[in-house]
Amino acid sequence: RKEQELDSKDAIILHQFSRPNNGVPSLSPFCLKMETYLRMADLPYQNYFDGKLSPQGKMPWIEYNHKKVSGTEFIIDFLEEKLGVNLNKHLGPHERAVSRAVTKMVEEHFYWTLAYCQWVENLHETQKMVSLFGPFSDLLKWILCHLTKGIVKREMYGHGIGRFSEEEMYTLMEKDMRTLAGLLGDKKYIMGPHVSTVDATVFGHLAQAMWTLPGTRPERLIKGELINLAMYCERIRRKFWPEWHHDDDNTLYESEESSEASKTYSPLQDFSFYSRTETFDEEGNSISQTPDTDYTGHSLFDSDVDMDEYRDHEQCK
């Protein structure tokens, strides 16, 4: 893409991989985690799909007031410090410890089994989802996916989990998924009735099994025996991703909070300025209005808004 000058003054610029072509926001659990977190925290942000890695070679990463931060954990810490947001303020010390332990299990263990399923065993289906355009797009996708496959296998071997057989890796995956299902139980979110940071992490990973791995063992497990995880994913998708539409949408995973409004979709945007138009309590009641409508009264929800023009107007008020 053509290079663009980015002004990150008082604006969160989220760098991440391009949207895949199957309607899912990202094939990367960490990119989906980060964007979901921003929506959960109700922080306006602008996506930038330049494909450029951070100075540490990481994706996703953000720019804010010309400061570059990579690594989702460090990004969240940075935003909490700079903007005063905290999704975990309702958690006690024990719950925070459990939340961190679950996060590390998901990111340092479960992630690798998903990566194996996505980029090694199910590579042909994943290749169909990768979004590239141009006269040589099919060839480029084939090269990109097979390069990624080699990288994943090498990194898994270095991690240690890649030294096990395929059946042993799937055994470890199932144990992690059953652990998450047992921890969730019949609760609304992982740590109880209120959303917390760990939910962005868990959702970012489980969404891959739910929507990007058709016909695989993790998909059959989450949509079969571990149905509470599927309901959990749908709950978060409908609340924080109202424009995310999937061809297989049905009422199987609907909960009592689903509404007709949640079934009105608009396409996922590439370059966008996103902010939720209202903040809701856990009962679905509007409790505050956030400053994410422009001066004409139009919502800034996932729209191509000139951020400088919006900020200039706000300064004039």
Side-chain angles (χ1 to χ4, degrees), residues 220-285:
R220 292 195 299 270
L221 192 61
I222 195 173
K223 293 183 178 180
E225 184 179 348
L226 306 181
I227 195 70
N228 66 327
L229 293 182
M231 296 174 67
Y232 168 80
C233 287
E234 277 292 339
R235 187 176 303 124
I236 292 178
R237 182 178 75 115
R238 295 186 183 219
K239 184 174 179 64
F240 299 104
W241 289 92
E243 79 281 27
W244 173 359
H245 173 66
H246 194 265
D247 291 339
D248 295 332
D249 280 349
N250 54 51
T251 59
L252 180 60
Y253 310 115
E254 284 189 17
S255 60
E256 67 281 355
E257 65 194 57
S258 297
S259 65
E260 289 302 317
S262 71
K263 299 175 185 177
T264 302
Y265 303 96
S266 59
L268 288 170
Q269 299 293 316
D270 272 5
F271 294 86
S272 58
F273 184 80
Y274 175 87
S275 178
R276 292 169 61 201
T277 54
E278 287 188 339
T279 300
F280 296 90
D281 61 21
E282 291 303 321
E283 282 68 45
N285 301 314

Side-chain angles (χ1 to χ4, degrees), residues 90-297:
H90 61 283
L91 301 181
H94 175 75
E95 292 172 313
R96 289 171 186 258
V98 171
S99 178
R100 178 166 177 78
V102 172
T103 297
K104 293 301 111 179
M105 179 195 78
V106 169
E107 294 185 344
E108 305 296 340
H109 194 265
F110 181 49
Y111 163 76
W112 290 108
T113 58
L114 279 175
Y116 174 82
C117 190
Q118 198 169 35
W119 294 103
V120 180
E121 190 205 11
N122 209 44
L123 182 64
H124 181 68
E125 290 297 325
T126 302
Q127 183 176 323
K128 296 178 183 178
M129 302 176 193
V130 174
S131 180
L132 286 177
F133 302 97
F136 304 106
S137 59
D138 289 341
L139 176 61
L140 290 175
K141 284 199 292 185
W142 187 92
I143 294 173
L144 173 65
C145 289
H146 281 78
L147 284 174
T148 303
K149 174 182 177 180
I151 293 171
V152 167
K153 291 181 71 174
R154 184 174 68 248
E155 292 188 347
M156 288 182 68
Y157 190 85
H159 177 278
I161 198 170
R163 304 177 189 226
F164 297 114
S165 68
E166 178 179 301
E167 186 60 34
E168 287 171 327
M169 280 191 283
Y170 276 118
T171 297
L172 296 175
M173 171 186 279
E174 289 190 13
K175 285 184 177 181
D176 288 344
M177 293 181 70
R178 292 182 191 281
T179 297
L180 291 173
L183 181 63
L184 177 64
D186 59 358
K187 299 194 300 293
K188 192 172 184 179
Y189 300 112
I190 294 294
M191 301 308 298
H194 303 288
V195 73
S196 58
T197 302
V198 70
D199 290 299
T201 303
V202 174
F203 174 75
H205 288 73
L206 286 180
Q208 306 304 317
M210 184 84 172
W211 290 294
T212 73
L213 296 171
T216 61
R217 290 171 64 172
E219 188 203 46
R220 292 195 299 270
L221 192 61
I222 195 173
K223 293 183 178 180
E225 184 179 348
L226 306 181
I227 195 70
N228 66 327
L229 293 182
M231 296 174 67
Y232 168 80
C233 287
E234 277 292 339
R235 187 176 303 124
I236 292 178
R237 182 178 75 115
R238 295 186 183 219
K239 184 174 179 64
F240 299 104
W241 289 92
E243 79 281 27
W244 173 359
H245 173 66
H246 194 265
D247 291 339
D248 295 332
D249 280 349
N250 54 51
T251 59
L252 180 60
Y253 310 115
E254 284 189 17
S255 60
E256 67 281 355
E257 65 194 57
S258 297
S259 65
E260 289 302 317
S262 71
K263 299 175 185 177
T264 302
Y265 303 96
S266 59
L268 288 170
Q269 299 293 316
D270 272 5
F271 294 86
S272 58
F273 184 80
Y274 175 87
S275 178
R276 292 169 61 201
T277 54
E278 287 188 339
T279 300
F280 296 90
D281 61 21
E282 291 303 321
E283 282 68 45
N285 301 314
S286 177
I287 58 175
S288 65
Q289 184 73 27
T290 56
D292 41 26
T293 54
D294 65 15
Y295 47 86
T296 66

Side-chain angles (χ1 to χ4, degrees), residues 32-59:
L32 184 53
K33 166 194 174 178
M34 195 65 248
E35 192 168 1
T36 301
Y37 170 85
L38 291 171
R39 291 176 176 229
M40 288 177 170
D42 202 9
L43 294 175
Y45 64 93
Q46 184 177 4
N47 278 318
Y48 198 65
F49 302 96
D50 56 350
K52 183 179 179 181
L53 301 178
S54 73
Q56 295 83 9
K58 305 285 284 184
M59 189 75 92

